[in-house]
Amino acid sequence: MQKNRSAPTAKGRVTLKTIAEATGLSLSTVSLSLRGGTTLKQETRDKVAAAAKALGYVPDRAGVRLRTGKTNVLALVLDGAEDSIDFARQMIQGIGQALQGTPYHLNVTPEFDRHSPDTIRYILENRAADGVIITHTGPRDPRVQMMVDADFPFVSHGRTEFFTPHPYHDFHAENFAAMAVERLSGKGCRRLLLVIGDDSTTNYQNIVTAFHKAAARNGIEARLLERTAGLTPAEMRAKGIELSRSADRPDGVICDSEMRALALLGGLMEAGVGIGEDVHLIYKQTSGILPTIFPRLDSVREDILGAGIELTRLLRLRIDGAPIEDLQTLAEPQPQWRSGD
C-alpha cells in the first residue's frame, strides 16, 4: 500500500523533515521556502506553504533565533494619539496582508508619547524584532536617529530632515495641499483656511509650505487654524461655530484629517452655513465614513492599507540588505471630486 505522504510522522511534532517528506522536496528547499526565499519558484513556495499549513507546522522561534539570530518578528510602533479615522486598522491590515506566506509575524506597540525613543530603545536592547515600522515621524525624530546609529533595519511612514538617508514611505502631502488649493480656486474661493493638527511632524511642515505656495500662485488669501490635534470633537465643533460668525469667514477650507473635518462640519452646519455654497471644504480621506455622510463633499484619499503593504515590502528589502536609496517611495494623493465642476 502506498504511504500517505501528507501525514506527519508518527511521533514528535511536525518538523522541516516532515514537510520535506510530505512534499518530496529537499530539506534545504523547504527551509529556504519557509524563510521566504525569493529565489524559489512561486509554485514551490506555494507547495511548501500548503503542506506546512495542512500538517500544522509551527516554527520553533527560539531555535530559529539561536541558529540565525533572527526573531522573525516585525514591530509596528503605532502612534497612539492618531486622529485620522480608521488609520490603525487599515495600517495593521495592510502589513498583515504583506506578511502572508512569509516567516514573519507582527507585534504592535501603541506609543502615546509622540516621538519618544523608549520603545525603540527596548527593541534594540532586547533584539525584540528583526525590523521596525514607525509612523508620524518628526523632522529630527530621535527614534530615527537611534536606529540609524545602531544600523538597525527600519522604515518610517513619513520623511525626516536627516542628512543620512533612511528608508521611508510617505503620503505626498505637498501634492495634496496644492491639489486642494487649485480645486478651491477653481470654485471661486478667495479666502482659504487650512485646518491642521500636530506641528511636530514633517507632514505638517510639508502641507503648510505647499499650501502657502499654492495660494500665492493663485493670488488667494491663506491662513491657518493650528494646534487642533489636542482638541476634542466638541471643541473642534465649537471652532466651526466660531468660524461661521467671524467677520473674515473663509469661503474655502482644507482639512488634514477626517476627524477634524467631521467635527468642524458639525459646527458650521449648526450655525447655518451652507456647505458647498457659503463654504467649500476639502478633506484628506482615510476611510469611507465621510463620503457616506456627505456624498457630495470633495476629498483627497490616502490609501492607508496600501501604505501598510508598501512599508512591509520596503522593510523586508532592507532586512535583506537592499540599498537605502532604493527604499524611499511616495504615494500620490487620489482626488475624489464629487461636487461637480
Side-chain angles (χ1 to χ4, degrees):
M1 184 173 66
Q2 186 176 5
K3 182 180 178 181
N4 181 2
R5 303 185 70 185
S6 64
T9 53
K11 59 182 179 178
R13 67 182 186 85
V14 176
T15 65
L16 298 182
K17 183 178 180 181
T18 313
I19 300 172
E21 291 175 350
T23 58
L25 298 170
S26 69
L27 194 62
S28 60
T29 298
V30 170
S31 176
L32 179 60
S33 181
L34 290 174
R35 295 200 309 272
T38 55
T39 57
L40 298 175
K41 293 181 180 179
Q42 187 62 47
E43 178 184 359
T44 301
R45 295 166 63 189
D46 291 344
K47 184 176 182 180
V48 172
K53 183 177 180 180
L55 294 166
Y57 173 71
V58 178
D60 181 357
R61 299 196 183 279
V64 169
R65 186 167 185 172
L66 284 172
R67 291 193 306 274
T68 68
K70 294 187 66 176
T71 65
N72 283 346
V73 172
L74 301 184
L76 170 62
V77 180
L78 187 65
D79 189 270
E82 171 53 37
D83 53 9
S84 292
I85 296 174
D86 212 25
F87 179 93
R89 183 190 67 82
Q90 291 189 74
M91 177 63 71
I92 294 170
Q93 185 176 345
I95 296 171
Q97 284 189 20
L99 291 182
Q100 286 185 344
T102 78
Y104 291 102
H105 71 281
L106 179 68
N107 280 356
V108 180
T109 302
E111 194 170 58
F112 295 96
D113 184 5
R114 179 164 285 182
H115 304 157
S116 167
D118 292 346
T119 299
I120 299 302
R121 182 179 294 110
Y122 175 86
I123 292 171
L124 294 178
E125 290 177 351
N126 294 278
R127 194 68 187 189
D130 296 331
V132 171
I133 298 171
I134 60 173
T135 66
H136 301 81
T137 52
R140 306 294 294 180
D141 198 307
R143 301 172 301 171
V144 170
Q145 185 68 68
M146 186 175 289
M147 289 186 285
V148 167
D149 290 345
D151 194 25
F152 187 78
F154 77 97
V155 60
S156 62
H157 186 225
R159 288 162 281 175
T160 66
E161 294 179 352
F162 287 107
F163 178 77
T164 303
H166 64 82
Y168 66 74
H169 175 68
D170 198 9
F171 179 64
H172 204 160
E174 301 93 318
N175 282 359
F176 155 67
M179 190 181 291
V181 169
E182 295 291 341
R183 174 68 170 175
L184 292 173
S185 176
K187 289 181 172 293
C189 298
R190 310 310 298 168
R191 299 183 309 280
L192 298 189
L193 178 71
L194 174 64
V195 181
I196 190 164
D198 190 351
D199 61 4
S200 69
T201 64
T202 313
N203 182 68
Y204 169 93
Q205 297 188 2
N206 291 338
I207 291 178
V208 169
T209 301
F211 170 69
H212 283 301
K213 286 182 178 179
R217 283 196 306 269
N218 286 274
I220 293 174
E221 177 188 331
R223 55 195 176 97
L224 306 182
L225 180 60
E226 300 181 273
R227 297 179 180 87
T228 61
L231 299 182
T232 66
E235 290 170 335
M236 195 71 229
R237 183 185 181 94
K239 287 287 185 183
I241 296 173
E242 181 183 326
L243 276 174
S244 72
R245 296 170 179 168
S246 64
D248 58 345
R249 185 182 72 194
D251 53 10
V253 175
I254 300 170
C255 202
D256 74 330
S257 90
E258 278 184 306
M259 190 76 78
R260 279 187 277 279
L262 184 59
L264 191 72
L265 281 165
L268 290 170
M269 293 174 68
E270 180 180 332
V273 174
I275 304 301
E277 298 170 357
D278 302 320
V279 174
H280 295 278
L281 186 144
I282 298 176
Y283 64 95
K284 188 173 80 169
Q285 177 188 338
T286 54
S287 80
I289 294 177
L290 252 69
T292 302
I293 302 172
F294 300 100
R296 293 187 56 78
L297 199 62
D298 285 341
S299 68
V300 178
R301 180 172 177 266
E302 178 180 6
D303 183 0
I304 302 300
L305 187 145
I309 293 172
E310 175 67 359
L311 286 163
T312 307
R313 184 186 75 87
L314 295 175
L315 181 56
R316 291 193 64 202
L317 287 171
R318 180 63 186 135
I319 291 171
D320 291 341
I324 291 175
E325 291 75 10
D326 297 338
L327 306 178
Q328 298 175 330
T329 60
L330 291 175
E332 290 303 322
Q334 303 170 14
Q336 312 290 311
W337 304 150
R338 304 182 178 93
S339 59
D341 297 325

